[in-house]
Amino acid sequence: MQLSSTVDEKPEDILPTSLFGHLWETLNAFGGIGNSMTQNQNAVSQGSATAPILVTGGAGFIGSNFVLDWLATEGSPVINLDKLTYAGNPANLASVHDNPNYIFVQGDICDAALVASLLEAHKPRAIVHFAAESHVDRSIHGPEAFLRTNIDGTFTLLQAARQYYETLTGEAKDCFRFMHVSTDEVYGTLTPDAPAFHEDTPFAPNSPYAASKASSDHLVRAWVHTYGLPAIITNCSNNYGPFQFPEKLIPLMIANALKGKPLPVYGDGQQIRDWLFVLDHCRAIRTVLENGRIGETYNVGGNNQRANLDVVNTLCSLLDEFVPNSPYKPHTQLITYVKDRPGHDRRYAIDARKIQRDLNWFPQESFETGLRKTVEWYLGNAAWIEDVTSGAYQHWLTKNYASRESDHPAATMEVAR
């Protein structure tokens, strides 16, 4: 698949040409074929090595990274069900377009008949559920879509999975898993000195997005305990890395800085997030899928707590280094403070000791190494950014930021999730 750019100012005029490369080649170089598992194989991996998995939302940011990583490491077929909303991009998976082990189906997880037909036709050994509306600001402007996809969609999948599971026998039944990928935002917010979220932290969601994900987590738990569905939940911290849609903090800052646009920072920029490199998250999901206990929840974090303003300053320093001929150096001059998001959570932090202790998973990337690789990827794939930042995206930016007058004389940034 050939990606084209519609940039008015050609990025190669200011970017080193050596940074341009193919999407998957760069991603694979970032460790896409790594594997941190040391556990013995369990029922899932003991099942037929050729049995496929069904992935929902596999054209989105985390989902597409997972599909690429799975095909590179596991090799068994993937059926990718994605509605292709604004954040779903088939170009993310261009490198596997002709892979016989990759099947793409455009469709809605709320379509019960479609989901049932895919389960019947492909007989997957697992469902890995990423599909979700995931942007907090969008949930504030339009919560209906979040309730439909995150709650109704998860319910539809659970019902279909339950009915499919009841038809299985023997090894196929023993092997089947429903993997539900969720967020740390279900736990609410933390004070500066509070301990990190653990798996037994009570839910206290503070945005429509977080409430919808908390609801979906509760549904999954109920289907395990009421119907015996072999499901597992993961709750992750803020992801970053290749293919992230540039409404989120890190890719938005990179895209804006390269064009000399303001870098909008909410409030004082001291909101703290725990940052997790997306391929570390993919490895964690594979680890939980293959070795996790049914009915359990596993928190997945990167052990990298950073204030948003610190993240933006670090990005600016990296861009100064990687793009020495940029007319916008130093990029910190582009930082612009804007009015804070309504109900903005102050701090997230993940206690990931359970998955580390029980499943021997640990993140392989530090924030420094992961962020450097991420910046390199976006610099090397400027055409991808231009391709996804369409007119509809520009309309969204205007809608979200036009009413946010600058609070201070210097900073711009969108808080990831």
Side-chain angles (χ1 to χ4, degrees):
M1 181 180 295
Q2 194 71 26
L3 299 182
S4 60
S5 174
T6 57
V7 195
D8 293 331
E9 178 182 21
K10 294 182 179 179
E12 55 265 34
D13 291 340
I14 59 174
L15 302 181
T17 56
S18 61
L19 288 175
F20 286 85
H22 297 294
L23 298 177
W24 173 237
E25 288 177 353
T26 309
L27 179 61
N28 195 48
F30 290 172
I33 59 172
N35 189 345
S36 63
M37 294 186 298
T38 60
Q39 299 276 335
N40 292 329
Q41 290 182 317
N42 75 347
V44 174
S45 55
Q46 288 170 354
S48 172
T50 60
I53 63 170
L54 173 63
V55 173
T56 71
F61 164 46
I62 303 175
S64 61
N65 276 282
F66 178 82
V67 169
L68 292 172
D69 185 55
W70 180 274
L71 290 172
T73 56
E74 303 293 335
S76 58
V78 174
I79 297 93
N80 177 13
L81 173 61
D82 197 296
K83 189 178 179 180
L84 294 184
T85 61
Y86 74 95
N89 186 359
N92 296 359
L93 296 157
S95 65
V96 296
H97 183 268
D98 297 322
N99 188 326
N101 281 334
Y102 175 64
I103 299 171
F104 174 72
V105 178
Q106 183 174 358
D108 191 340
I109 59 171
C110 293
D111 185 340
L114 173 61
V115 174
S117 68
L118 291 175
L119 293 174
E120 173 62 25
H122 297 285
K123 299 192 175 353
R125 56 175 158 147
I127 297 173
V128 185
H129 178 31
F130 293 100
E133 296 285 347
S134 65
H135 190 45
V136 173
D137 282 329
R138 288 181 185 265
S139 80
I140 293 171
H141 288 292
E144 297 86 356
F146 287 73
L147 273 61
R148 182 181 185 275
T149 298
N150 299 355
I151 300 176
D152 293 346
T154 300
F155 166 73
T156 300
L157 281 175
L158 287 168
Q159 284 290 79
R162 172 191 165 202
Q163 293 163 7
Y164 169 67
Y165 179 63
E166 289 174 351
T167 69
L168 299 177
T169 59
E171 184 183 42
K173 191 161 193 170
D174 292 338
C175 293
F176 183 74
R177 297 290 183 271
F178 185 102
M179 183 81 225
H180 179 64
V181 182
S182 190
T183 171
D184 59 356
E185 294 197 38
V186 300
Y187 298 122
T189 189
L190 292 168
T191 59
D193 299 324
F197 300 131
H198 53 81
E199 286 81 359
D200 295 323
T201 299
F203 281 13
N206 291 318
S207 70
Y209 161 62
S212 68
K213 288 299 289 184
S215 299
S216 68
D217 290 10
H218 284 312
L219 287 174
V220 174
R221 176 182 173 86
W223 260 244
V224 172
H225 289 271
T226 302
Y227 302 113
L229 185 71
I232 310 172
I233 299 172
T234 58
N235 294 91
C236 69
S237 60
N238 277 42
N239 279 223
Y240 68 99
F243 300 116
Q244 188 170 32
F245 193 78
E247 67 186 353
K248 299 297 182 77
L249 172 61
I250 289 174
L252 177 63
M253 295 304 104
I254 296 171
N256 278 13
L258 291 176
K259 292 188 173 183
K261 294 182 178 181
L263 308 182
V265 175
Y266 280 151
D268 61 3
Q270 295 305 307
Q271 305 88 353
I272 293 174
R273 300 294 183 262
D274 176 14
W275 293 94
L276 174 66
F277 189 58
V278 66
L279 288 177
D280 278 331
H281 187 198
C282 293
R283 297 180 189 108
I285 294 168
R286 285 195 287 108
T287 300
V288 173
L289 182 62
E290 297 180 11
N291 296 303
R293 294 181 58 188
I294 293 171
E296 292 289 330
T297 294
Y298 296 91
N299 281 352
V300 184
N303 299 321
N304 294 306
Q305 292 186 53
R306 298 288 191 282
N308 285 332
L309 185 57
D310 293 339
V311 174
V312 175
N313 281 320
T314 302
L315 284 169
C316 288
S317 296
L318 287 170
L319 290 171
D320 290 347
E321 174 188 345
F322 286 130
V323 196
N325 297 323
S326 170
Y328 311 117
K329 287 180 59 180
H331 291 91
T332 52
Q333 68 180 322
L334 300 173
I335 294 175
T336 307
Y337 294 93
V338 298
K339 185 178 180 180
D340 208 353
R341 165 194 290 162
H344 200 175
D345 289 338
R346 195 65 176 172
R347 175 176 169 245
Y348 302 145
I350 280 285
D351 181 343
R353 286 179 292 180
K354 178 178 178 179
I355 190 173
Q356 294 170 357
R357 179 189 66 243
D358 294 356
L359 304 182
N360 198 33
W361 172 88
F362 295 87
Q364 295 182 10
E365 298 290 346
S366 67
F367 186 66
E368 290 72 23
T369 62
L371 195 62
R372 177 172 286 269
K373 291 177 178 179
T374 299
V375 171
E376 288 179 327
W377 188 88
Y378 281 97
L379 291 178
N381 292 282
W384 181 91
I385 298 177
E386 292 301 323
D387 188 57
V388 300
T389 52
S390 63
Y393 170 71
Q394 296 301 327
H395 174 73
W396 155 250
L397 287 182
T398 301
K399 179 179 180 180
N400 191 52
Y401 290 106
S403 61
R404 300 183 190 273
E405 295 182 358
S406 185
D407 289 341
H408 302 283
T412 292
M413 146 190 198
E414 217 290 77
V415 178
R417 291 202 335 226

